[in-house]
Amino acid sequence: MSAPKFTTLGCRLNAYETEAMKELSGAAGLSNAVVVNTCAVTAEAVRKARQEIRKLRRENPDARLIVTGCAAQTEPETFAAMAEVDAVIGNTEKMQPDTWAGLAADFIGETEAVQVDDIMSVTETAGHLIDGFGTRSRAYVQVQNGCDHRCTFCIIPYGRGNSRSVPAGVVVEQIKRLLGKGYNEVVLTGVDLTSWGADLPAEPKLGDLVMRILKLVPDLPRLRISSIDSIEVDENLMQAIATEPRLMPHLHLSLQAGDDMILKRMKRRHLRDDAIAFCEEAKRLRPDMTYGADIIAGFPTETDAMFEKSLKLVEECDLTWLHVFPYSPRNGTPAARMPAVNGKIIKERAAQLRAVGERQVSAHLDQQVGKTHHILMENSKMGRTEQFTEVRFETDQPEGQIVTAQIIGQSGTQLTA
């Protein structure tokens, strides 16, 4: 009776939910199964999911193969039609004990082979909170799921549903438990993190949650925020950035482009100047602030001049860690019907963005040499600074602890101490 094997594709939230599924499937007694938690963010992500499923079937010919995640939610028929797949489970169903109890039965009947309901009807976040997903040093806490926005390139709302928030009291209690287990850093995660609270009584903002956590969990050494939408940042979050050293000076921004016309065609809620103003203000309040950002190369109708504005935005916002996405059309999204950019040009633009990103990383690393940092050790030889920069040590350090060290150099994308 072997325990199920899990493969996770895509984002941190998927990885978090895989941990929940491990607990749920274990409690249900599921055995001899392979579970693939898919991503749908790009057409390439779906292609990789299909490739991974075929590979896992070859490696596990006798196991039941179960597909779940965003790609399973948005196009269940694609995976149900694959000969390798025994069951397709939606994003809501994967977090329910009854689903796993049913899968643990010896036989998956035809009626149960596809369990994917309308995710837009879901009004609550999953009640299954995981204490301690992550490394031994850092834990991830899901505070929000889904998205109410409809960016023209994005399929994710159809995989995740509308925005739902975990109440602040529940989040605080979980963080207290994590602190009791020895975690020195907590990361708040979600699909559209800055929309947290809009569906709760009194409609609190993300900044209210951050301030509440830092006040009610005074012994928490480090709190980190994952990806945010800068146009939705509230006054309290700016206040926390300015006054709270325990809030880490690293923000990952959903920027997507640097040209106003492209941003409008994407149905984003900010303009180029909004992004620059936010980055300048946050850095004024917190001079050691560093930024990561998502940028799409080759969105439909993007001209060379429009793309140049995205390139320039990297320096104007002083972005360090770039996630570059070559545009790929997603069936069912408005952008897929817009005039496409030539595939070769898309690849060239993505390469240019990555090259600029590499220069920004190198400049950031150069600036850190000689400085003293507080580094959270992920293992005995590697940790991360407050800005999430990797630091390599020659000598062993205590895993999970925050050590103070002077940076003596850089190597590749890492600092050395």
Side-chain angles (χ1 to χ4, degrees), residues 8-291:
T8 306
L9 305 169
C11 66
R12 282 282 180 197
L13 194 52
N14 254 14
Y16 179 98
E17 289 172 346
T18 291
E19 296 303 307
M21 287 191 284
K22 285 179 183 176
E23 287 193 7
L24 291 165
S25 62
L30 180 66
S31 63
N32 194 28
V34 175
V35 183
V36 185
N37 197 6
T38 62
C39 171
V41 72
T42 61
E44 175 67 7
V46 178
R47 189 191 69 77
K48 281 185 178 171
R50 290 167 60 87
Q51 188 179 30
E52 185 69 15
I53 287 163
R54 287 191 285 268
K55 172 174 157 277
L56 288 167
R57 172 51 78 206
R58 288 193 300 272
E59 293 171 357
N60 304 273
D62 301 322
R64 282 182 292 174
L65 202 147
I66 300 161
V67 180
T68 187
C70 288
Q73 180 70 44
T74 56
E75 41 187 292
E77 65 289 340
T78 297
F79 297 97
M82 292 180 71
E84 295 86 354
V85 174
D86 293 305
V88 182
I89 306 301
N91 263 339
T92 302
E93 289 78 10
K94 76 181 184 186
M95 304 301 279
Q96 293 171 345
D98 288 354
T99 302
W100 296 97
L103 290 168
D106 287 338
F107 176 72
I108 298 176
E110 283 297 316
T111 54
E112 298 180 293
V114 179
Q115 297 179 54
V116 182
D117 284 341
D118 174 18
I119 199 152
M120 292 303 173
S121 65
V122 179
T123 57
E124 294 182 354
T125 42
H128 206 90
L129 295 171
I130 298 300
D131 281 353
F133 154 64
T135 60
R136 279 172 57 188
S137 53
R138 179 180 297 108
Y140 294 83
V141 174
Q142 180 189 351
V143 303
Q144 184 274 340
N145 202 342
C147 184
D148 290 338
H149 305 300
R150 296 295 179 265
C151 297
T152 58
F153 55 84
C154 187
I155 199 80
I156 295 306
Y158 306 98
R160 289 281 175 185
N162 292 319
S163 182
R164 293 97 69 200
S165 310
V166 177
V170 176
V171 175
V172 167
E173 286 308 309
Q174 189 185 12
I175 291 173
K176 284 179 178 176
R177 288 200 302 275
L178 291 166
L179 191 64
K181 291 183 175 186
Y183 287 95
N184 281 316
E185 182 175 299
V186 165
V187 187
L188 304 182
T189 69
V191 173
D192 181 28
L193 203 55
T194 25
S195 71
W196 179 88
D199 57 324
L200 296 176
E203 299 185 9
K205 302 283 189 186
L206 181 62
D208 302 323
L209 176 65
V210 167
M211 288 296 221
R212 189 163 172 183
I213 291 166
L214 292 168
K215 180 183 177 185
L216 297 179
V217 196
D219 295 335
L220 176 68
R222 291 163 62 140
L223 180 66
R224 198 178 286 281
I225 300 173
S226 59
S227 184
I228 61 167
D229 205 339
S230 58
I231 198 70
E232 293 188 329
V233 168
D234 60 284
E235 284 182 24
N236 263 352
L237 188 51
M238 296 306 281
Q239 179 75 7
I241 288 169
T243 63
E244 269 292 354
R246 291 184 296 147
L247 180 63
M248 293 296 96
H250 167 255
L251 295 171
H252 189 85
L253 309 175
S254 179
L255 296 182
Q256 310 303 354
D259 178 81
D260 284 348
M261 181 56 73
I262 292 295
L263 288 166
K264 284 180 179 176
R265 287 172 182 163
M266 288 177 165
K267 218 172 169 187
R268 299 295 295 161
R269 291 162 303 289
H270 71 275
L271 297 173
R272 171 194 186 80
D273 286 348
D274 297 324
I276 295 168
F278 171 81
C279 290
E280 287 176 349
E281 177 63 6
K283 198 153 250 189
R284 185 186 70 77
L285 297 172
R286 190 79 178 266
D288 58 346
M289 180 65 76
T290 59
Y291 304 111

Side-chain angles (χ1 to χ4, degrees), residues 297-298 302 304 341-350 352:
E302 184 183 69
D304 288 343
V341 175
N342 178 279
K344 185 166 173 280
I345 292 172
I346 292 175
K347 277 188 179 172
E348 288 169 359
R349 289 178 183 171
Q352 282 181 266

Side-chain angles (χ1 to χ4, degrees), residues 233-390:
V233 168
D234 60 284
E235 284 182 24
N236 263 352
L237 188 51
M238 296 306 281
Q239 179 75 7
I241 288 169
T243 63
E244 269 292 354
R246 291 184 296 147
L247 180 63
M248 293 296 96
H250 167 255
L251 295 171
H252 189 85
L253 309 175
S254 179
L255 296 182
Q256 310 303 354
D259 178 81
D260 284 348
M261 181 56 73
I262 292 295
L263 288 166
K264 284 180 179 176
R265 287 172 182 163
M266 288 177 165
K267 218 172 169 187
R268 299 295 295 161
R269 291 162 303 289
H270 71 275
L271 297 173
R272 171 194 186 80
D273 286 348
D274 297 324
I276 295 168
F278 171 81
C279 290
E280 287 176 349
E281 177 63 6
K283 198 153 250 189
R284 185 186 70 77
L285 297 172
R286 190 79 178 266
D288 58 346
M289 180 65 76
T290 59
Y291 304 111
D294 297 330
I295 300 187
I296 294 173
F299 185 81
T301 75
E302 184 183 69
T303 63
D304 288 343
M306 291 168 169
F307 173 67
E308 281 298 319
K309 290 182 181 174
S310 285
L311 272 182
K312 285 178 182 164
L313 188 75
V314 176
E315 291 176 5
E316 286 172 303
C317 285
D318 197 16
L319 307 176
T320 300
W321 315 107
L322 293 192
H323 284 187
V324 176
F325 294 89
Y327 175 77
S328 66
R330 301 295 287 111
N331 286 337
T333 62
R337 300 191 296 274
M338 296 178 188
V341 175
N342 178 279
K344 185 166 173 280
I345 292 172
I346 292 175
K347 277 188 179 172
E348 288 169 359
R349 289 178 183 171
Q352 282 181 266
L353 274 169
R354 290 189 181 111
V356 170
E358 285 168 13
R359 290 203 295 275
Q360 291 289 103
V361 170
S362 185
H364 169 71
L365 297 179
D366 283 342
Q367 290 163 11
Q368 306 313 308
V369 176
K371 290 184 178 177
T372 298
H373 276 287
H374 304 296
I375 300 152
L376 179 67
M377 299 306 301
E378 293 188 2
N379 56 53
S380 61
K381 288 287 201 295
M382 195 279 284
R384 289 185 190 266
T385 67
E386 304 92 327
Q387 292 93 352
F388 213 59
T389 312
E390 289 189 3

Side-chain angles (χ1 to χ4, degrees), residues 368-373 375 391 393 403-409 416-417:
Q368 306 313 308
V369 176
K371 290 184 178 177
T372 298
H373 276 287
I375 300 152
V391 184
F393 286 78
V403 302
T404 303
Q406 187 177 38
I407 304 303
I408 57 172
T416 53

